[in-house]
Amino acid sequence: MAQLRNVAIVGFAQLPVVARDEHRTATEMLYPAVRQALEQCGVGRDDIDYQIAGSTDYMDGRPFGFVAALESMGSWPPREDLHLEMDGIFCAYYAWLRMQAGYCDTALVVAHGKVSEGEPRRVSNLQMDPYYHAPLGIDATASSALQASMFMARTGVSDRDLARVAARNRKHGASNPDNQLRSAVSAEELQNTPFVVEPLRAGYLPPVGETATCLILAAEGKAERLCDRPVWIHGVEHRSELQTLGARDLSRSAGAKLASEKALAMAGLDRADQVDFAELAATNPAEEMVLCEALGLDPFGTRPVLNPSGGPLCADPIMSTGLIRLGEAFRQLSGRAGERAVSGAERALVHGQQGHCLQTNIVWICGTKRRWS
Amino acid sequence: MAFTAPPDDAVKYVESLVWLPYHYVAGDYRAVYLRALKDKRILGSRCDKTGKVFVPPVINSPESFAPCSEIVEVSDCGTITTFCIVNIPVIGRNLELPYVAASVVLDGADIPIFALIQECRPEEVHMGMRVEAVWKPDGERQGDHEDILHFRPTSRPRSGEWPRPL
Amino acid sequence: MQFADVVVEPMTLRQVMEFPYKHSTGPVVGRFLAGLKEQRQIWGRRVAGGAVVVPPQGFSEWDGSACSEWVPVADEGTVVAVARVWQPVERLHPFAEPFAYILVRLDGADTAMLHVAKADFEHVRIGSRVRAIWGADGERRGSIWDIREFRLARAS
C-alpha cells in the first residue's frame, strides 16, 4: 500500500435523534450542529477549507432544498462546496479524497434531512427503476424483507436469531443519549411484535427519526491542533452493486465484502476481527447478519463489540445514519463515549450504506494512532 | 403459439405519477414572522455580530455565520433597490399586465424582500422610489404572505426609528 | 426580544407533491413490455457467458456487456425470496389487503423477477412453484402489471 496522507476526524456533533422536531426546519437543525462541531475544535468557520453536504430533496419535499443548507454552513465568503444525494458518510469519503489530492487540509462534512416531513418508504420506492420495480410499489422495508427471507433460507438463521441481534442493539443503545430508542428490550419481547413485512417485525425496524450531523476532518499537521485526540483514518473503500434486485444474490453482500477487504488491506490488517468494535449501518437484524458474514464478524460474539452506539435500530435519521457511525467511532476512540465506552478501544471498523438491500457499501478503518509515518 | 422474437413495435413509454405527501414544519422563525403579519407587523432577526437585520427572520447570518438571536420589528415602508416590468402572464397569478416586481429594502432591514408594486404606472417606478405596504383589511388577514396585497408609492420619509426592538 | 424567550406554537402544513413522468422505454424494455402485452410471453436476453437475464435491460446486469439474442422463458418458475406485506401502505403498495412481494426465477432464466403474490400470498414460500396470472386480452397495457400476480402452480 502506497503511503497516503494521514487524515483524522477531529470533531463531531449531532442533535439527539427525535421522531419529529416541530420547531425547526432541516437547515435550522443543521446550524447548531455545525456550531458545536467547530466549537469542539476551537476554530471559526473561516479556518475550514472545504465543505460537503449529504441530503435528499425528495425526503424534505423541497426541490433544490439542499441549497438552503449553504446558509447554515457559513458559506460566505464563497466556499468550495459539494453536495451529494447520499448519506454523509460518503461525503466524508470525498472530503478525504480531496485531502489525499492535496487540495485541502480541513473539511466540514454535514448531513441533514427532515425525515418526518415526508414518508421515507414512498421515497425509497423512487430509488428503483420505473419499468420493472417501482410500479410494483416496492419500498426499502419490503426489499429488506426479501433479502432477509433469502438469507434465512440459505443459512438457517431463525426469527429468534434476528430477535437476539435486535435485542443486543437495543441493550447497547440504552446508554446513548443521542438515540431515539433508549430502552433495553428482551429478544422475547421483540419477537412478539407483529410483522411489518414478514420476516421483519416492528421490533426489528427503526422508527422514523431525524437529526442533523457535522463531522470535521483534518490532515496531519492541522489535526493535532484541532483535537487533543484525533481519530485517524487507516483505510477506506466503497463499492456499489447492481440495482436490479433479482440479478443479485441478496443473501450475500459482495460489495461489503470487497470494500472491507480493501479497507483492511489499506489499514495493514488481515481480518475485521482485529478491530475492537464495529459500527454497522444495518437497519434491521437480518441485514446486520448479512453484513457480519461479508465482513467476517460474529453477530453473537463479544469482541469486536458490535454497534456500541445501539446502531441504526435505535436511531435511523436517513442521510445521517452512516455519518453517525463515523462520529461514534470518533467519540469512542477519542474518549468521548461516556457510559458506553468500549474499554481499551484503539481501532474501529465503520460501515455505511445507501440504496436497497446494501446496494452500496463503504467501509472505514479508524484508529487512535497515525497509519503512515 | 411459439414466438421467435418479441414484437418489433416496442411500447414507447411508461407513465408514472409520483405521489408524495408532506407534513412541513415552518420553523419557529417563520411561524413568528407569519403570525405577526396578521397584526400588520413585519419582523426580522438581528445578527449578534454585525447587527444586520434579516427579513424574514433567519436563525443565523448567512454572511457572518453568527446567530441572529434578537427579534426586531421593521417598517412596512421601504425603498426599491431594483425592479422589473413583467409583460407575460404567470400561471396561477391573476395580475393585470404589465406589472412591476421589485426588491424593496424595508426601513430597518438590511436585505430586500420581493414585492409587487401597484397603484402607479410601471414607467413611474424607479430605483430609490419610496413604497409602502398595502395590507388586507382588519379581520381578513390570515398570517400568511397574502396579508400584504402589494406595495404602492408613498411620500413617507425614511425613519431612524427602525428597526425597533420587540 | 430574544427568539429563545418566545414560546412558539408550531406552524405546519400538509401538502401533496405530484410529479407526472413519461419515461422512454428504449428498444429493450419497450419490446419486453410489448411481449407481455401482445404475446403473453416473457422474454429474456442472453448476456456474455450465456446467462439469460429476465427482465432484461439494454446491457448485461452482470458485466455491462451488450446483450445478444432474445430468449423466451416460461411464465412459470421457482420462488427465491418472499416478503409478506402485512400492513400495506395506501397509494404505495398495489393492494389494500396483505400480499407478498416475491422474486421468481422463471424456467429458462438465470436471474429472478420481482412481482407479487396475492391469492396465495400466505402459502407461497421459497422453493414454491408459481405461475403468472395474465391480464385479459384487451386489458394488457404494456406494463409489468400485464401480469396480475403469481399463484402456486398446481398440477394440471
Side-chain angles (χ1 to χ4, degrees):
Chain A
M1 173 56 60
Q3 171 139 347
L4 295 174
R5 209 175 173 199
N6 285 306
V7 169
I9 307 168
V10 293
F12 176 72
Q14 73 168 93
L15 274 57
V17 180
V18 294
R20 178 170 170 86
D21 186 333
E22 290 251 275
H23 295 277
R24 289 182 285 195
T25 62
T27 49
E28 287 166 348
M29 291 175 77
L30 179 58
Y31 179 63
V34 177
R35 293 282 304 205
Q36 278 173 36
L38 289 169
E39 277 161 25
Q40 260 178 38
C41 297
V43 295
R45 181 60 190 83
D46 290 339
D47 297 314
I48 305 294
D49 302 333
Y50 183 64
Q51 66 182 32
I52 177 164
S55 73
T56 171
D57 292 344
Y58 263 133
M59 199 67 77
D60 296 341
R62 297 168 201 241
F64 295 92
F66 71 88
V67 180
L70 290 174
E71 317 220 334
S72 301
M73 292 165 71
S75 310
W76 187 264
R79 310 288 188 190
E80 199 178 355
D81 171 89
L82 183 62
H83 174 261
L84 296 186
E85 189 101 354
M86 292 185 96
D87 190 300
I89 196 169
F90 294 91
C91 300
Y93 176 71
Y94 286 97
W96 176 87
L97 271 184
R98 200 131 179 90
M99 283 183 200
Q100 295 305 331
Y103 278 109
C104 64
D105 295 333
T106 49
L108 198 65
V109 180
V110 309
H112 56 96
K114 206 70 168 64
V115 186
S116 75
E117 294 189 16
E119 297 185 15
R121 290 181 73 181
R122 291 184 204 280
V123 174
S124 71
N125 171 257
L126 304 176
Q127 290 180 299
M128 305 306 284
D129 79 273
Y131 312 106
Y132 302 142
H133 290 78
L136 296 170
I138 186 95
D139 64 284
T141 306
S143 63
S144 291
L146 286 170
Q147 178 180 47
S149 78
M150 278 180 92
F151 177 71
M152 292 165 85
R154 176 172 65 77
T155 59
V157 156
S158 66
D159 186 28
R160 180 66 178 177
D161 295 324
L162 299 190
R164 284 173 63 206
V165 169
R168 185 245 298 142
N169 280 300
R170 292 293 299 271
K171 181 165 174 262
H172 288 175
S175 57
N176 181 350
D178 289 328
N179 274 347
Q180 190 175 351
L181 300 180
R182 289 188 304 276
S183 57
V185 180
S186 71
E188 291 77 15
E189 225 173 305
L190 292 170
Q191 206 183 337
N192 281 328
T193 57
F195 285 121
V196 177
V197 184
E198 189 181 344
L200 298 179
R201 298 177 181 276
Y204 304 167
L205 295 165
V208 168
E210 59 196 23
T211 188
T213 44
C214 178
L215 181 120
I216 298 178
L217 286 176
E220 189 170 20
K222 291 257 173 80
E224 302 82 348
R225 277 184 272 154
L226 299 184
C227 184
D228 54 345
R229 293 167 72 177
V231 170
W232 300 95
I233 308 302
H234 290 187
V236 57
E237 180 80 16
H238 85 91
R239 295 283 161 150
S240 290
E241 292 183 60
L242 305 169
Q243 184 183 37
T244 303
L245 295 174
R248 292 161 56 191
D249 177 357
L250 299 179
S251 78
R252 289 183 170 89
S253 180
K257 185 169 190 291
L258 203 50
S260 72
E261 285 168 1
K262 299 278 181 189
L264 287 164
M266 190 186 285
L269 300 178
D270 306 319
R271 301 185 321 274
D273 62 9
Q274 291 171 298
V275 303
D276 298 298
F277 69 93
E279 279 288 336
L280 308 176
T283 50
N284 70 72
E287 194 174 74
E288 189 174 320
M289 293 181 83
V290 170
L291 263 181
C292 282
E293 187 188 76
L295 302 174
L297 294 169
D298 176 2
F300 301 111
T302 51
R303 197 91 178 190
V305 179
L306 297 185
N307 289 347
S309 69
L313 178 61
C314 301
D316 180 29
I318 298 169
M319 309 321 283
S320 283
T321 304
L323 192 60
I324 289 174
R325 311 273 75 75
L326 207 51
E328 180 68 9
F330 170 70
R331 292 191 284 210
Q332 285 284 355
L333 297 174
S334 69
R336 291 167 167 86
E339 259 187 77
R340 63 183 186 283
V342 174
S343 65
E346 291 182 355
R347 265 198 302 249
L349 180 150
V350 175
H351 165 263
Q353 64 147 319
Q354 189 88 22
H356 286 242
C357 302
L358 299 170
Q359 191 195 348
T360 296
N361 295 278
I362 187 164
V363 175
W364 300 74
I365 308 296
C366 307
T368 53
K369 299 185 180 69
R370 281 174 192 74
R371 168 71 179 95
W372 293 279
S373 53
Chain B
M1 178 170 53
F3 298 97
T4 53
D8 285 325
D9 193 11
V11 171
K12 298 274 188 303
Y13 301 101
V14 166
E15 293 191 34
S16 71
L17 178 67
V18 172
W19 186 85
L20 295 169
Y22 291 97
H23 189 190
Y24 295 110
V25 168
D28 286 357
Y29 284 71
R30 280 179 201 79
V32 165
Y33 168 80
L34 291 168
R35 290 200 176 108
L37 294 175
K38 215 168 174 175
D39 305 322
K40 293 171 69 165
R41 301 168 88 181
I42 301 173
L43 303 184
S45 64
R46 195 198 313 251
C47 171
D48 294 3
K49 188 170 167 188
T50 64
K52 284 191 182 176
V53 171
F54 297 90
V55 178
V58 289
I59 187 171
N60 68 286
S61 162
E63 180 197 46
S64 76
F65 193 54
C68 295
S69 310
E70 192 193 358
I71 315 178
V72 293
E73 184 178 352
V74 299
S75 174
D76 68 347
C77 181
T79 306
I80 291 178
T81 57
T82 185
F83 66 96
C84 64
I85 300 171
V86 182
N87 285 290
I88 50 170
V90 175
I91 296 164
R93 286 206 85 169
N94 193 20
L95 289 168
E96 196 183 319
L97 294 175
Y99 65 86
V100 177
S103 281
V104 173
V105 176
L106 298 172
D107 296 348
D110 288 284
I111 59 165
I113 59 168
F114 287 111
L116 174 67
I117 311 297
Q118 305 259 272
E119 300 188 41
C120 68
R121 289 183 295 126
E123 50 273 34
E124 289 170 28
V125 175
H126 56 274
M127 290 181 194
M129 187 180 191
R130 298 284 296 161
V131 290
E132 63 182 5
V134 177
W135 296 88
K136 265 190 193 167
D138 291 353
E140 290 181 24
R141 292 187 299 276
Q142 305 284 321
D144 60 36
H145 278 118
E146 309 291 308
D147 287 348
I148 296 176
L149 295 168
H150 55 261
F151 282 73
R152 69 180 171 208
T154 182
S155 55
R156 278 157 68 188
R158 195 183 160 127
S159 154
E161 70 167 308
W162 308 102
R164 182 187 282 169
L166 202 68
Chain C
M1 190 185 288
Q2 303 288 299
F3 268 99
D5 299 332
V6 188
V7 178
V8 184
E9 177 67 22
M11 186 181 276
T12 64
L13 172 71
R14 285 190 188 275
Q15 190 169 295
V16 173
M17 275 207 211
E18 291 186 348
F19 304 90
Y21 287 103
K22 201 171 169 185
H23 301 284
S24 295
T25 50
V28 175
V29 176
R31 289 184 74 190
F32 172 84
L33 294 175
L36 300 183
K37 180 184 174 187
E38 290 164 29
Q39 301 170 332
R40 291 191 9 164
Q41 174 65 52
I42 302 171
W43 290 91
R45 296 260 286 178
R46 197 176 300 284
V47 301
V52 175
V53 170
V54 180
Q57 308 281 1
F59 48 86
S60 163
E61 285 285 359
W62 287 335
D63 62 9
S65 63
C67 299
S68 55
E69 57 177 334
W70 286 95
V71 180
V73 299
D75 63 358
E76 193 172 312
T78 306
V79 173
V80 298
V82 185
R84 293 192 183 86
V85 182
W86 287 101
Q87 301 167 26
V89 177
E90 197 186 347
R91 286 198 75 159
L92 168 65
H93 293 137
F95 308 107
E97 302 79 34
F99 69 100
Y101 284 110
I102 54 173
L103 286 170
V104 190
R105 186 171 296 123
L106 297 168
D107 296 347
D110 293 287
T111 64
M113 183 165 105
L114 180 72
H115 219 283
V116 301
K118 182 76 180 73
D120 296 332
F121 91 98
E122 283 189 86
H123 307 294
V124 167
R125 58 195 72 246
I126 290 175
S128 294
R129 295 286 300 167
V130 292
R131 66 187 167 85
I133 304 300
W134 289 92
D137 289 351
E139 285 177 10
R140 295 190 301 277
R141 298 275 172 262
S143 133
I144 197 70
W145 281 114
D146 288 350
I147 297 168
R148 286 182 186 160
E149 63 156 321
F150 280 81
R151 288 187 194 162
L152 291 172
R154 294 180 180 88
S156 53

